[in-house]
Amino acid sequence: QSALTQPPSASGSPGQSVTISCTGISSDYVSWYQQHPGKAPQLMIYEVSKRPSGVPDRFSGSKSGNTASLTVSGLQADDDADYYCCSPAGSLYVFGTGTKVTVL
Amino acid sequence: HVQLQESGPGLVKPSETLSLTCTVSGVSISSYYWTWIRQPPGKTLEWIGFIHYSGTTNYNPSLKSRVTMSLDTSKNQFSLKLSSVTAADTALYYCASEHNYGQFDYWGQGVLVTVSS
């Protein structure tokens, strides 16, 4: 099973919004992870659009057809990180190729 | 406060077996599904598989012939064994808890395993 497809990079200035796409989804379950350099991934969104406790509401998720999206609004310096989508595919879970978000 | 901590050798020789343990604190291992995920340097994440306290396992088909996972409820630990390793198995290995369908809530800090002679 190949990785889900994400754009390699995205960027925005502080206060702006950035949206990351994830294509190849074949399930109603999509999660998103943020990873800072040298750190473990952190769950930001699960079940397409739900936020775990402690994740700011600046992070939102959606899905249309076989494409899921993560939007980060009001960009802050700490949002500068890699982001990965994840979804079930048959009997396994597949992660996306990853998107590097740069806060300009 | 849930914490996971991976432990095991950082260097494994080709053709040998990689063995890692994840120690869980703050929650009973009888909850959740317990997962291994790896990340080769500079690459994306790869799901290896999970084990449930009931004994149920599910492995990535691409690794299934080489993977074994186990639980030790008395120590609140779970383990990964990956046999016949090659350089392609060099990666940062993470243990994580799965609440539901790809909802990996808690992660260990990761352990880098290098396969080299």
Side-chain angles (χ1 to χ4, degrees):
Chain A
Q1 178 69 40
S2 300
L4 303 170
T5 302
Q6 298 179 233
S9 62
S11 62
S13 299
Q16 291 186 332
S17 295
V18 66
T19 296
I20 305 165
S21 62
C22 173
T23 60
I25 303 289
S26 58
S27 165
D28 290 333
Y29 293 92
V30 182
S31 52
W32 289 90
Y33 297 86
Q34 178 192 66
Q35 186 178 34
H36 287 110
K39 300 293 187 182
Q42 177 186 349
L43 177 67
M44 305 303 284
I45 295 287
Y46 66 99
E47 292 180 14
V48 176
S49 60
K50 297 179 180 179
R51 280 186 309 277
S53 172
V55 173
D57 60 6
R58 301 184 296 102
F59 291 85
S60 61
S62 62
K63 177 177 172 290
S64 177
N66 72 340
T67 299
S69 298
L70 173 72
T71 297
V72 186
S73 305
L75 275 171
Q76 299 181 2
D78 190 52
D79 300 333
D80 195 297
D82 293 327
Y83 292 83
Y84 297 93
C85 57
C86 178
S87 186
S91 63
L92 74 157
Y93 292 105
V94 180
F95 287 89
T97 49
T99 298
K100 167 62 179 172
V101 169
T102 300
V103 180
L104 301 171
Chain B
H1 180 52
V2 179
Q3 289 187 306
L4 287 76
Q5 176 71 57
E6 304 90 349
S7 59
L11 181 64
V12 181
K13 290 182 169 56
S15 79
E16 295 190 343
T17 296
L18 177 161
S19 296
L20 297 175
T21 296
C22 183
T23 301
V24 180
S25 59
V27 68
S28 170
I29 204 163
S30 299
S31 307
Y32 303 131
Y33 290 80
W34 302 98
T35 299
W36 290 95
I37 293 166
R38 69 181 184 179
Q39 185 174 33
K43 296 187 178 181
T44 188
L45 301 155
E46 180 181 30
W47 179 80
I48 299 172
F50 71 66
I51 184 166
H52 187 254
Y53 83 96
S54 64
T56 299
T57 56
N58 186 23
Y59 303 145
N60 189 319
S62 68
L63 300 169
K64 189 173 183 176
S65 63
R66 300 193 290 129
V67 171
T68 304
M69 295 184 186
S70 59
L71 277 172
D72 186 336
T73 54
S74 67
K75 295 181 179 179
N76 226 39
Q77 295 176 334
F78 62 105
S79 299
L80 167 71
K81 290 188 186 298
L82 181 66
S83 64
S84 305
V85 297
T86 70
D89 296 308
T90 293
L92 198 54
Y93 284 76
Y94 293 102
C95 59
S97 63
E98 181 189 355
H99 187 80
N100 187 35
Y101 291 111
Q103 183 182 337
F104 304 114
D105 305 89
Y106 301 103
W107 296 65
Q109 65 187 24
V111 59
L112 178 62
V113 179
T114 301
V115 178
S116 175
S117 56

